[in-house]
Amino acid sequence: MGTFDIKRERRDLYNGTVARFDLVEVPPMRFLTADGSGNPNTSADYGRVLEALYTCSYAVRAVARVELGRVHTVGPLEGLWYADDLGVFTARDKDAWAWTMMIWQPDRVTADMVASAVETVTRRKPHVAVDRVRLEEFAEGPAVQTLHVGPYDAEGPVIARMHEQAITGRGLIASGHHHEIYLSDARKTEPARLRTILRQPVASAAEQ
């Protein structure tokens, strides 16, 4: 049995086309998550959260390999971004952002397996903020998404077009937090080539 890669198995959710806004149905999925707030470019807390999420995710993969004899690729980093005033996203007022960062986990990964992985990380890397990490199921449902290629700070007009045209044009309204999936490693990819899924959960305007 080969390595399971969520990006390959669910291309409808982890791929897209620039300037095309797709309506997708996102099933309940499980993630390691951690919360925080502030500018991700300058917040030391953001770095601590990412270190904890990645370290725990790789530890979970090791536990799954031993206990289940199955291997999965650690998923891409994802983020839910929210604020009282959604205008801070198009304005890129990052100091006003709150966030929940996430990394996908296979359904077969249990809470006990996560606890075992966290225990290993705590013993081997006591500086990692494992207390920030939790296993959660996230049920997103219907959403509109697109692929953005380019710097993160160039997302504003795309997000505005998504909300003002793609969503309302379908008789829908935004429902839930703005969601981004980072398909590129920002440490190794030049800003102009960064690939990011931008997703917004939606609901029918007629039912509100």
Side-chain angles (χ1 to χ4, degrees):
M1 183 177 296
T3 300
F4 185 94
D5 185 343
I6 188 64
K7 299 191 302 298
R8 182 179 64 240
E9 299 297 330
R10 293 304 308 261
R11 293 182 185 276
D12 57 324
L13 304 180
Y14 287 86
N15 207 338
T17 301
V18 174
R20 189 184 76 195
F21 296 89
D22 296 316
L23 182 62
V24 297
E25 184 70 29
V26 187
M29 302 175 77
R30 306 178 84 206
F31 296 87
L32 291 184
T33 70
D35 303 320
S37 62
N39 188 333
N41 294 331
T42 59
S43 169
D45 191 48
Y46 183 78
R48 285 192 292 269
V49 162
L50 263 57
E51 178 186 36
L53 282 175
Y54 276 112
T55 304
C56 289
S57 291
Y58 279 101
V60 166
R61 184 178 70 168
V63 171
R65 177 183 295 176
V66 171
E67 295 193 9
L68 303 176
R70 301 173 71 179
V71 182
H72 64 272
T73 299
V74 171
L77 181 68
E78 308 188 29
L80 304 179
W81 301 88
Y82 41 97
D84 293 334
D85 176 10
L86 294 180
V88 301
F89 296 112
T90 53
R92 311 307 287 174
D93 181 10
K94 298 179 183 180
D95 290 332
W97 296 357
W99 35 265
T100 298
M101 306 312 296
M102 318 189 299
I103 296 179
W104 167 87
Q105 304 297 315
D107 290 341
R108 59 182 177 267
V109 168
T110 66
D112 286 344
M113 293 168 67
V114 172
S116 177
V118 167
E119 181 181 356
T120 298
V121 173
T122 301
R123 185 174 65 254
R124 296 179 179 176
K125 300 180 179 181
H127 69 282
V128 175
V130 296
D131 59 307
R132 302 287 294 276
V133 177
R134 63 189 182 276
L135 178 66
E136 285 193 331
E137 183 172 273
F138 179 45
E140 201 161 23
V144 171
Q145 71 177 34
T146 190
L147 175 67
H148 171 70
V149 177
Y152 300 136
D153 284 339
E155 292 176 2
V158 182
I159 295 172
R161 192 156 63 249
M162 176 185 287
H163 283 262
E164 297 167 9
Q165 299 176 24
I167 292 177
T168 58
R170 287 180 166 94
L172 303 169
I173 59 171
S175 175
H177 298 320
H178 174 72
H179 185 172
E180 299 192 356
I181 303 173
Y182 306 102
L183 302 177
S184 305
D185 186 339
R187 300 168 301 175
K188 303 175 182 177
T189 308
E190 60 181 276
R193 297 174 63 87
L194 291 170
R195 299 173 70 250
T196 308
I197 294 292
L198 306 180
R199 180 186 295 164
Q200 175 60 55
V202 293
S204 170
E207 297 176 358
Q208 301 302 307

